[in-house]
Amino acid sequence: MRRRRLLLALLLLLPLADLIATLLYLRHVEAAQAAGAPPARADAAVVFFGDSIDEHTLNEDTRQRVDHAASLYREGRVGEVICVGGNLPWLDFAGSELMKARLIEQGVPAERISLEHDSRDTLGNLEAAAAQLHARGRRSAILVSTRLHLYRIARWNELEGLRFFASASDPADAGLLERWWPVHHEWAAFTLRTLFSEEGYQRVTELARRLDL
């Protein structure tokens, strides 16, 4: 009986502990991002692929990212947009192509859009964008993604002499349930990046994408 009560208590406490940890993490992310704001202008925007519904349709999250990057361009805050991520060679799919098409629909000229097809994770996305920026003599970029994703990227806010700034595409008032899964996704990414080598991390993330996790 005592063991059963202990097990029941644990089953009740674990979700509560997870909920508290999620709330504390969200507050930490919000406080960290409130401390800094993107500049009035940067050389480029780098927009990260999130996911798609199918090979022809971006999901809502990625559409928000692309539309936010388009707004930065129309407002004159960036001079070009670089689309990165969404490289799924086993499906012959490049999410950056879908992002470019939507940017053009949103009024960004095709000649002001660059693509990156080859990288397989967030750091690779950023390094590929940095290579393009260097090649064109650019010095700064505004990174466009969700608040949680940008928090993870913040550790690389200076890469190869470039200066990166964050601009979130998702609403600040999103509910806890809506952000619960993204928080745990970020925790998993932090953990895997810590535990595995770069090659090992890429293998794990590729497996997760193949399984559509």
Side-chain angles (χ1 to χ4, degrees), residues 89-143:
W90 57 90
L91 296 177
D92 192 26
F93 175 82
S96 54
E97 295 281 359
L98 291 182
M99 292 196 291
K100 178 180 179 179
R102 187 168 179 87
L103 283 169
I104 292 173
E105 291 175 0
Q106 297 291 316
V108 181
E111 62 271 18
R112 293 290 182 176
I113 305 170
S114 302
L115 305 181
E116 183 280 314
H117 295 108
D118 301 320
S119 62
R120 294 185 291 173
D121 59 22
T122 294
L123 179 56
N125 297 159
L126 198 57
E127 289 174 337
Q132 292 195 27
L133 291 165
H134 272 301
R136 292 194 288 277
R138 310 301 191 230
R139 305 298 296 172
S140 63
I142 296 176
L143 307 181

Side-chain angles (χ1 to χ4, degrees), residues 57-77:
T57 312
L58 297 170
N59 72 350
E60 182 180 359
D61 169 31
T62 307
R63 291 197 301 270
Q64 287 179 343
R65 301 181 191 196
V66 173
D67 293 353
H68 187 60
S71 294
L72 293 175
Y73 178 84
R74 291 195 302 267
E75 293 166 5
R77 296 182 60 190

